[in-house]
Amino acid sequence: MTRKSKIVVLISGNGSNLQSLLEGCHSKIINGEIVAVVSNNPHAFGLKRAKTFGINTLVIDENNYKIEKKTFHEKVYEAVKQFNPDLVILAGYMKILTKSFISSFQDKIINIHPSLLPKYPGLNTHQRALTAKDEISGATVHFVTEKLDSGPIIIQGEVPIFPNDTEQSLRTRVLEIEHKIFVATTSLICSGKIKRADDKVFLNENLLGKQGIKYDNSIERMLKE
Ligand code: GAR
């Protein structure tokens, strides 16, 4: 077994995705160690989740930098950089990273987004899917590039949309698949099975299509190999 990857997770809120990553590392599905959790929001519940697992937490409270926005981004960069991470994970981090942050961690930043990208980048994804009367929604994990929610896609997990769905019921269903695909992606990256070259993503040296891996049971089996 290769050495554990050092992971820093950025959050802004509840941290249910963080929780699944913490459990994934704890149960060794992920050959990685979350060395720190960084939040822009001092009240993020995810900070409590991290502390329960004895993980270092750092808060860069964005409210203290309302005028000095540049300083806020520099502080976030310093907070992450000091750990020299192999992987930076955006798990519900609702701030846009700077160009310099992204280029400093080239190929090492992944994000989870609650839609089947390229559909519905940005906010209010569930309401937009309901308004469009879509029958399928889901979530995407992708590498982060300068263009918001547009980096190379690693994996997508689909869920049905039912006629009586509300924004909340759809959010809950999508979150369940988010947790699965986030753990799967992180595990595959930490074991060296997923690699990126420019806008291309490879799984076991095989080039993936633009929509990445379609999540199903075979992915779960691959994690156990
Ligand atoms: C998740 O649905 C995640 O996909 C979304 O925020 C939620 C965080 O939930 N992220 C974005 O919208 C980023 N653009 P969590 O705090 O319970 O993990």
Side-chain angles (χ1 to χ4, degrees):
M1 174 83 55
T2 48
R3 81 162 170 88
K4 281 187 185 177
S5 299
K6 279 193 286 177
I7 302 168
V8 173
V9 184
L10 275 69
I11 61 164
S12 296
N14 181 28
S16 69
N17 277 292
L18 166 68
Q19 179 80 27
S20 66
L21 296 170
L22 288 163
E23 289 169 8
C25 290
H26 187 71
S27 65
K28 300 192 169 54
I29 295 173
I30 298 170
N31 185 28
E33 181 189 2
I34 297 176
V35 289
V37 171
V38 179
S39 174
N40 61 307
N41 168 13
H43 308 294
F45 184 67
L47 292 166
K48 291 201 174 75
R49 297 181 191 266
K51 283 181 188 147
T52 305
F53 278 78
I55 309 289
N56 245 320
T57 58
L58 294 91
V59 175
I60 317 293
D61 185 349
E62 61 176 308
N63 294 314
N64 295 340
Y65 303 95
K66 275 191 177 141
I67 301 164
E68 295 289 321
K69 289 214 167 71
K70 194 163 168 262
T71 314
F72 166 77
H73 289 293
E74 282 165 5
K75 295 274 176 202
V76 172
Y77 172 74
E78 285 161 17
V80 176
K81 183 71 190 164
Q82 65 181 309
F83 295 99
N84 199 20
D86 301 298
L87 187 61
V88 178
I89 301 186
L90 310 184
Y93 183 63
M94 304 309 277
K95 304 294 292 181
I96 294 176
L97 297 173
T98 58
K99 284 182 186 176
S100 62
F101 186 107
I102 294 168
S103 61
S104 304
F105 298 104
Q106 181 80 32
D107 295 347
K108 290 184 180 171
I109 314 172
I110 60 170
N111 177 47
I112 190 147
H113 184 78
S115 78
L116 296 171
L117 290 170
K119 258 192 170 179
Y120 314 130
L123 301 175
N124 300 321
T125 56
H126 306 307
Q127 190 52 57
R128 286 153 78 196
L130 291 172
T131 304
K133 300 204 181 322
D134 290 349
E135 292 180 352
I136 292 174
S137 186
T140 304
V141 182
H142 64 93
F143 284 106
V144 172
T145 57
E146 282 177 20
K147 205 164 164 224
L148 185 69
D149 297 332
S150 301
I153 292 176
I154 304 167
I155 194 167
Q156 293 193 314
E158 294 182 353
V159 297
I161 300 181
F162 299 120
N164 59 350
D165 262 330
T166 60
E167 193 179 1
Q168 186 52 46
S169 65
L170 182 56
R171 175 179 293 113
T172 303
R173 193 173 312 118
V174 171
L175 265 176
E176 274 177 37
I177 196 80
E178 288 189 34
H179 300 158
K180 290 181 181 154
I181 65 173
F182 222 7
V183 169
T185 308
T186 306
S187 171
L188 293 170
I189 291 177
C190 291
S191 61
K193 290 181 179 150
I194 284 181
K195 294 202 175 93
R196 173 186 171 193
D198 301 321
D199 61 346
K200 298 185 180 69
V201 182
F202 296 85
L203 171 64
N204 293 327
E205 316 294 331
N206 298 310
L207 177 63
L208 295 175
K210 282 259 176 273
Q211 300 304 114
I213 304 164
K214 189 167 174 178
Y215 178 83
D216 60 18
N217 289 338
S218 68
I219 304 301
E220 291 295 319
R221 284 198 295 276
M222 195 184 293
L223 300 182
K224 291 179 187 133
E225 282 168 8

